[in-house]
Amino acid sequence: MTAKTHTVEKIGGTSMSRSHELLRTVLIGDRKGSALYNRVFVVSAYGGMTDALLEHKKSDEPGVYALFASAESGWQWGDALSSVASKMVAKNAEVFSDPAPREQADKFIRERIEGVRSCLIDLSRLCSFGHFQLEAHLLTVREMLSALGEAQSAFNTALLLKQNGVNARFVDLTGWRQDGELPLDEHIARQFAGIDFASEMPIVTGYAQCAEQLMKTYDRGYSEVTLSRVAVVTGACEAIIHKEFHLSSADPRLVGADKVQVIGETNYDVADQLSNMGMEAIHPRAAKSLRQAGIPLRVTNAFEPDHPGTVIMSDLEPKTPGAEIVTGLKGVFALEFYDQDMVGVKGYDTKILEALTRHKVWIISKTSNANTITHYLKGSMKAIKRVETDLAEAFPTASMTLRKLAMVSAIGRNLRGVNILPRAIAALAEAGIEPIGLTDMVRKVDLQVLVEEDEFDKAVVALHKGLVEERAERKARADIRRVA
């Protein structure tokens, strides 16, 4: 398709829960007439809905999917689905004060929920026969349940906008009662055929059913993939992600709102490093689509519409080198694998990676020497213990230790030539922190520091002060000298 003048914009679940505030900022605000259009919105489910439909993202508390997949849960999943239905109806009442649109919203989501319930009952009966295995259908079940959340929020948002005089269109990519599966790009192209961006505002489900099965690859990161492919297929001039906060140099709750800086611009390399630390600007594979198509990404605070936010592009290099962001993760597991028989022998890395992949454990980073490989991991203790068991069987002479730590990372487009490592060590020492480990990559885009979990906050504050705040001060002095 030829390039157009429209944007494709995503609103996350936490922000979606503040529907009426979004009307006053991102969705309508001060816009009138034609200024309302040439904007496509991809929406996530309301906050907490996907947790209830699948499982809690942080605590792993089982939702409908986890209960259905568990042989021990019996029919508990049905009660859980009824509980989700009650939550969705309550959300509808919160969004719509008028009875007529509320009844429309309730009818829509009840039809979807009861359709899913009937399907799951039929599938349970079918799999009670030995010829059919439930495991073969679980991915489809997971996608079908997850789609309920996005269908509700997209339908409601389109309806709410119509109430407020906007010509909004609900674009349902969930494949509800659709015959067959299409490749994602073809599915998007068909659903968008005939839409006039200049006079309509499409409200699109963050989940898209397709032959590629998005959740198989991206699990719950699918909405950003939908954003990126809609942007590419429709030829958008820019992709925008609206969050409930700015992309800043650190968490203002830790460092102080007066000390952090909103990142005005950065590149996709930095975005990848942020994603690895759990501070997602965008899913790395979604970023790839935008990067290859030459579409810039903007990350904004949904509730500060006048702020330009952060622009992310492939070729944005900094005017001055140095750290731009300090972030990190608590609850990082360091799995240290030691075997003296490893020296000069190939294959250990492959076996470890296979075990981590099999048990769906996220690899943040790794280090190695002659006889030790240490992976820094994010995942449940249960899954990591399963990895240990598999590796103990494969390598009976090896020994393994598991330790829970925190990782703090200083990230920037160019960390060369600014003595980032000695300055980081000095900043930590001044705060009384002795790092457990350090990784300073040759590419010089990030520096990873391992500390005890109870020293995480102090480490973030110390590194932000020593690397980001001092860099800003140096830049300010240089600017003064140039003017003088």
Side-chain angles (χ1 to χ4, degrees):
M1 291 190 179
T2 56
K4 297 186 174 66
T5 57
H6 69 278
T7 58
V8 177
E9 312 184 21
K10 174 183 171 287
I11 306 175
T14 307
S15 299
M16 281 300 300
S17 297
R18 300 161 67 178
S19 297
H20 290 281
E21 288 180 72
L22 288 173
L23 287 179
R24 297 192 293 270
T25 57
V26 170
L27 294 171
I28 299 178
D30 297 329
R31 301 172 188 85
K32 293 180 181 178
S34 61
L36 287 163
Y37 302 104
N38 279 309
R39 298 182 301 148
V40 177
F41 287 94
V42 176
V43 299
S44 295
Y46 295 120
M49 290 299 179
T50 307
D51 286 342
L53 286 162
L54 302 179
E55 67 283 315
H56 196 282
K57 197 171 185 179
K58 293 182 178 177
S59 70
D60 280 336
E61 180 184 350
V64 180
Y65 169 80
L67 291 169
F68 183 80
S70 170
E72 294 82 24
S73 68
W75 291 92
Q76 282 181 285
W77 66 264
D79 294 334
L81 186 59
S82 297
S83 176
V84 172
S86 298
K87 288 180 183 176
M88 289 183 161
V89 169
K91 187 65 189 178
N92 290 347
E94 181 186 317
V95 173
F96 301 105
S97 56
D98 294 342
R102 186 168 67 245
E103 286 173 12
Q104 273 186 269
D106 289 349
K107 181 181 178 183
F108 172 83
I109 200 58
R110 282 191 176 120
E111 179 192 336
R112 294 282 173 118
I113 286 174
E114 293 313 312
V116 168
R117 190 192 304 275
S118 296
C119 181
L120 295 184
I121 289 171
D122 290 343
L123 181 59
S124 293
R125 289 172 179 160
L126 185 68
C127 292
S128 66
F129 296 91
H131 297 80
F132 301 94
Q133 300 301 313
L134 180 61
E135 289 75 13
H137 305 282
L138 284 178
L139 179 60
T140 301
V141 170
R142 188 171 178 82
E143 294 204 334
M144 181 171 62
L145 284 166
S146 190
L148 286 173
E150 270 83 9
Q152 180 198 21
S153 61
F155 180 86
N156 284 5
T157 303
L159 188 58
L160 188 62
L161 284 162
K162 287 176 185 175
Q163 274 193 294
N164 285 271
V166 179
N167 185 24
R169 182 194 286 211
F170 170 48
V171 179
D172 189 0
L173 297 180
T174 66
W176 183 253
R177 301 192 184 283
Q178 177 180 297
D179 291 332
E181 291 179 328
L182 297 171
L184 179 58
D185 286 4
E186 185 179 343
H187 183 35
I188 290 169
R190 286 195 184 190
Q191 292 297 319
F192 276 83
I195 295 179
D196 179 8
F197 297 131
S199 61
E200 293 179 273
M201 183 191 290
I203 307 298
V204 189
T205 57
Y207 168 75
Q209 185 194 35
C210 58
E212 295 91 331
Q213 292 186 294
L214 293 184
M215 293 193 81
K216 186 175 183 179
T217 304
Y218 309 107
D219 198 42
R220 289 170 66 164
Y222 54 78
S223 63
E224 291 181 354
V225 178
T226 303
L227 163 83
S228 66
R229 293 317 304 170
V230 169
V232 172
V233 171
T234 63
C237 64
E238 186 176 61
I240 303 174
I241 296 179
H242 299 288
K243 295 183 175 288
E244 66 277 10
F245 51 81
H246 285 297
L247 188 58
S248 301
S249 58
D251 185 341
R253 294 169 298 182
L254 291 182
V255 174
D258 59 326
K259 293 184 173 65
V260 299
Q261 306 153 26
V262 176
I263 306 301
E265 62 176 36
T266 192
N267 61 23
Y268 282 113
D269 196 349
V270 168
D272 289 346
Q273 309 310 323
L274 292 175
S275 179
N276 194 42
M277 287 289 110
M279 184 184 170
E280 289 194 3
I282 186 170
H283 194 287
R285 297 199 186 185
K288 178 182 176 182
S289 293
L290 298 176
R291 187 174 67 244
Q292 290 178 340
I295 298 173
L297 170 69
R298 188 180 298 272
V299 180
T300 73
N301 184 328
F303 306 103
E304 291 188 25
D306 296 328
H307 196 289
T310 305
V311 176
I312 302 174
M313 295 179 69
S314 297
D315 55 354
L316 281 176
E317 291 302 321
K319 294 175 182 175
T320 57
E324 299 170 48
I325 301 172
V326 175
T327 184
L329 282 170
K330 290 182 180 179
V332 174
F333 290 96
L335 177 61
E336 187 176 80
F337 178 97
Y338 166 74
D339 191 343
Q340 283 197 301
D341 294 340
M342 185 193 305
V343 182
V345 178
K346 295 179 181 178
Y348 282 82
D349 265 330
T350 302
K351 288 284 187 183
I352 295 171
L353 182 59
E354 286 173 356
L356 291 168
T357 303
R358 184 162 53 249
H359 296 291
K360 298 179 180 178
V361 178
W362 177 262
I363 303 170
I364 303 168
S365 179
K366 81 168 186 177
T367 56
S368 64
N369 64 17
N371 53 24
T372 306
I373 301 173
T374 304
H375 282 84
Y376 301 101
L377 309 169
K378 192 69 177 173
S380 69
M381 176 68 83
K382 185 187 295 184
I384 294 170
K385 286 292 185 184
R386 287 172 179 161
V387 171
E388 281 192 284
T389 300
D390 287 2
L391 294 178
E393 290 176 2
F395 303 103
T397 62
S399 64
M400 283 168 280
T401 58
L402 187 63
R403 186 175 178 183
K404 200 173 183 184
L405 303 170
M407 180 180 285
V408 182
S409 183
I411 301 167
R413 287 169 281 176
N414 180 8
L415 302 182
R416 295 183 182 88
V418 290
N419 297 314
I420 196 78
L421 180 56
R423 286 174 54 220
I425 293 172
L428 292 167
E430 187 178 339
I433 300 168
E434 182 179 354
I436 296 165
L438 287 152
T439 304
D440 186 14
M441 299 291 288
V442 175
R443 282 192 61 240
K444 296 292 183 183
V445 291
D446 71 327
L447 172 72
Q448 296 175 348
V449 181
L450 291 155
V451 297
E452 298 288 358
E453 277 200 296
D454 60 2
E455 293 188 316
F456 175 80
D457 292 2
K458 279 174 60 181
V460 170
V461 172
L463 289 176
H464 188 271
K465 180 182 178 183
L467 303 180
V468 176
E469 293 170 45
E470 287 186 9
R471 174 183 181 238
E473 290 169 6
R474 289 198 315 274
K475 183 177 180 296
R477 288 195 295 269
D479 289 344
I480 291 170
R481 285 196 298 271
R482 275 197 297 270
V483 171

